[in-house]
Amino acid sequence: MERKVLTFFEKEKLCEERFEASGPFWHLYTDGTKMQNIFVTKELFEIGVAALAVSRCLLPQVRMVSFELMTNHVHLIMAGQREDCCLLFEKFKDKLIRIFARNDVVVDLADFNFHILSIPDLKALRNEILYAHRNAYVANPDFTPYNYPWGTGWAYFSPLVGKIPTYGLNEISLTEARKIAHARDLAPVKGLRCSENRIFIPSFCDIQLGESMFTDPRSYFNALTKNVEAFAQIADRLQDSIFLTDEELFSVVCKISEDSYQIRKITLLAPEHKIAIAKELHFKYNATKQQIRRILKLDKTLLDELFPGC
């Protein structure tokens, strides 16, 4: 039987129906500006993933759509009731405290507290997922959304996910299983799978649910670096400091320069125009003084005068 090719509008309708049937959705995040670094080694990141996996297994009614563990903060995109999503984070934090104590890891998690925001519609959910997956890419030039190992970005629309060799915790010794999961009671986490002695992220995250919110892989990929205005709004809601790379900010500057002053080359901008653009970059796009100086070639003294205390 010949397969019907869906139109864009039919695909969008299906995504809308899935959104309505699968919610409510939430973005739970922590404030990295108030926390010391938590995950500073590969081993501590692996502990973080294991703690999150076990916590999710203890609350099966919550579906983890996407997440990113960063050095000093986390982003969790979840589907479920608000109180269950909040409880999942509390279990995650409590488990981290206990694992760190057992392993003599000195990290004060007193300020490791969360905020949670409702995700009202499909468009917002897509942007929140993309925003989370971009986090490491924006913060560190060594990463892209497709190679950062401590989140779900690498698993979205990847044909390799199903080809990675994995094994269940019940297929290895009890001692080894407890070591990987950092848990004594393995009954609640029997569904977890492992790869190379670490928890396999797709075994506790509903990657397919997240992917189903996009019409196709191309629309997901295209939106990763194109939704600058949407990312600006999310950053403002989350009070995030940096959400665009230098390259992305450069594109923003070029567009402002051409649209507002009909000048294509930034170097040809008048000083007053550069100052106007600098203010827009700082207040609308959260650009740091260092980013503005690198892109617009403005003097540090002038930037200190424009943005004192930043």
Side-chain angles (χ1 to χ4, degrees):
M1 182 181 295
E2 187 175 341
R3 185 179 176 185
K4 179 186 176 184
V5 177
L6 298 178
T7 67
F8 172 80
F9 296 104
E10 289 172 330
K11 290 179 181 179
E12 277 292 302
K13 188 172 185 295
L14 285 175
C15 290
E16 290 283 0
E17 290 172 353
R18 295 187 196 109
F19 175 85
E20 294 298 333
S22 305
F25 291 90
W26 307 90
H27 186 165
L28 185 150
Y29 64 98
T30 63
D31 186 351
T33 65
K34 296 181 179 179
M35 267 304 302
Q36 61 176 295
N37 288 343
I38 306 168
F39 309 110
V40 293
T41 65
K42 175 184 174 182
E43 290 72 26
L44 290 177
F45 269 112
E46 289 178 3
I47 286 174
V49 171
L52 186 61
V54 171
S55 302
R56 213 290 305 163
C57 290
L58 294 174
L59 289 160
Q61 64 271 36
V62 176
R63 301 168 80 178
M64 186 72 66
V65 179
S66 72
F67 79 88
E68 293 282 310
L69 297 188
M70 300 296 290
T71 304
N72 59 6
H73 68 281
V74 303
H75 289 275
L76 311 177
I77 312 296
M78 296 177 282
Q81 296 305 308
R82 185 182 190 278
E83 57 270 24
D84 292 329
C85 294
C86 295
L87 182 58
L88 187 149
F89 178 84
E90 294 297 348
K91 288 184 177 295
F92 170 55
K93 177 179 176 178
D94 182 62
K95 187 157 186 63
L96 283 179
I97 291 172
R98 287 186 281 113
I99 296 173
F100 287 170
R102 285 201 305 267
N103 290 274
D104 297 322
V105 177
V106 181
V107 178
D108 184 3
L109 294 178
D111 292 324
F112 189 50
N113 301 313
F114 72 90
H115 304 274
I116 187 167
L117 297 172
S118 172
I119 301 176
D121 53 47
L122 175 63
K123 182 179 179 181
L125 176 59
R126 288 171 174 169
N127 288 332
E128 299 283 350
I129 291 171
L130 293 164
Y131 188 87
H133 287 170
R134 285 169 45 87
N135 235 237
Y137 153 74
V138 171
N140 190 326
D142 293 335
F143 295 111
T144 76
Y146 286 103
N147 75 348
Y148 187 67
W150 317 117
T152 48
W154 66 268
Y156 266 57
F157 298 106
S158 172
L160 299 178
V161 171
K163 298 179 181 180
I164 297 174
T166 65
Y167 52 89
L169 291 174
N170 60 341
E171 298 174 42
I172 55 180
S173 70
L174 183 63
T175 300
E176 189 64 20
R178 284 174 170 170
K179 181 179 178 181
I180 293 174
H182 294 275
R184 290 196 59 80
D185 182 9
L186 298 179
V189 299
K190 59 185 179 183
L192 290 178
R193 297 192 66 77
C194 310
S195 176
E196 297 182 341
N197 296 321
R198 64 172 68 98
I199 298 296
F200 186 56
I201 288 173
S203 70
F204 71 92
C205 293
D206 199 334
I207 304 297
Q208 288 186 333
L209 176 60
E211 290 176 338
S212 74
M213 296 299 147
F214 297 85
T215 54
D216 49 46
R218 181 170 60 185
S219 69
Y220 170 83
F221 177 79
N222 184 61
L224 266 173
T225 56
K226 296 292 180 67
N227 290 3
V228 171
E229 297 298 329
F231 299 145
Q233 292 172 9
I234 295 172
D236 186 56
R237 280 209 305 163
L238 273 55
Q239 297 183 327
D240 250 353
S241 54
I242 301 174
F243 64 91
L244 294 178
T245 64
D246 283 8
E247 291 79 7
E248 290 169 332
L249 279 173
F250 181 79
S251 296
V252 169
V253 171
C254 289
K255 187 174 188 308
I256 295 172
S257 177
E258 190 162 359
D259 291 349
S260 300
Y261 309 111
Q262 293 72 55
I263 295 174
R264 292 188 177 185
K265 289 189 176 181
I266 297 175
T267 53
L268 299 179
L269 285 167
E272 62 270 22
H273 294 159
K274 285 189 175 184
I275 291 173
I277 292 175
K279 291 178 178 178
E280 185 167 357
L281 291 182
H282 180 74
F283 294 112
K284 184 175 180 180
Y285 296 99
N286 284 16
T288 65
K289 286 190 289 188
Q290 291 77 14
Q291 286 181 307
I292 295 170
R293 181 171 56 82
R294 288 194 295 266
I295 295 168
L296 290 174
K297 308 300 182 185
L298 289 175
D299 186 79
K300 181 180 180 298
T301 304
L302 173 61
L303 290 173
D304 288 339
E305 293 176 0
L306 289 173
F307 314 116
C310 295

